[in-house]
Amino acid sequence: MTDGPPTNLQPLDDVEEPAWRDLARFFVLAPRYLDDDLQRGANISLSTYSALTHLSEAPDQVLRVTELANRVYLSGSRTTRLVDALAADGLVIKRRSAGDARGVEVILTAKGLERLQRAYPVHLGSVRARVLDHVPRSTLPDLAEAMRAIAKALG
């Protein structure tokens, strides 16, 4: 990633402009619709679903709050509020890190895993209906490669 925009900017061309506008629209709409579907179908937010998913995939189903924040793409303060809400609902347990008393670990509970498993079919259906069903399967590898390149450039 660069420190700022280059000084020799060229306007987007006839291929780049619609691609950028569609991508920008996707960035705004997709999370909103995926969240709405999860809220309606499973009474869970996309942020909660994402946090529970990352915890379920972590070794021993434990992550430090800072690592969880990085994986769910939320600020540290927003992640702390989310974790507090999840702990209040019994979906996770918070504890001080044994190796670093300043750090806080988040542990997925059986109730949290069960909640994630109940929400999974709703999320899967939403991802398919809202996104993947509209992309020709033969182009998915190219789409994945493009998204990986963008994500890598962004950090």
Side-chain angles (χ1 to χ4, degrees):
M1 195 157 121
T2 63
D3 291 336
T7 55
N8 59 344
L9 292 175
Q10 296 294 318
L12 298 179
D13 65 29
D14 292 344
V15 173
E16 294 168 327
E17 184 69 34
W20 165 245
R21 287 181 186 229
D22 288 341
L23 188 57
R25 186 167 186 238
F26 174 81
F27 287 152
V28 171
L29 294 178
R32 184 183 310 158
Y33 288 132
L34 295 173
D35 185 70
D36 288 348
D37 291 345
L38 276 168
Q39 292 280 5
R40 275 194 317 277
N43 195 30
I44 190 173
S45 71
L46 183 58
S47 294
T48 295
Y49 183 86
S50 182
L52 296 177
T53 297
H54 286 289
L55 286 166
S56 76
E57 296 168 346
D60 299 320
Q61 299 181 328
V62 177
L63 288 172
R64 290 175 62 106
V65 170
T66 53
E67 179 61 24
L68 184 59
N70 290 335
R71 292 184 186 196
V72 297
Y73 311 111
L74 296 174
S75 69
S77 61
R78 176 68 183 104
T79 303
T80 297
R81 287 192 301 275
L82 175 62
V83 168
D84 287 345
L86 296 175
D89 289 342
L91 304 179
V92 302
I93 296 169
K94 288 174 32 178
R95 72 172 180 215
R96 287 275 171 209
S97 174
D100 176 7
R102 295 172 301 169
V104 175
E105 295 176 332
V106 183
I107 304 110
L108 183 65
T109 64
K111 182 178 178 182
L113 182 59
E114 190 270 329
R115 183 78 183 274
L116 175 64
Q117 290 168 335
R118 277 196 334 248
Y120 173 74
V122 173
H123 183 64
L124 176 61
S126 180
V127 167
R128 287 197 180 283
R130 301 282 187 184
V131 181
L132 295 178
D133 288 351
H134 305 283
V135 180
R137 186 163 185 82
S138 63
T139 66
L140 283 176
D142 292 332
L143 176 63
E145 182 179 340
M147 293 296 100
R148 235 183 337 272
I150 292 168
K152 183 178 179 184
L154 292 174

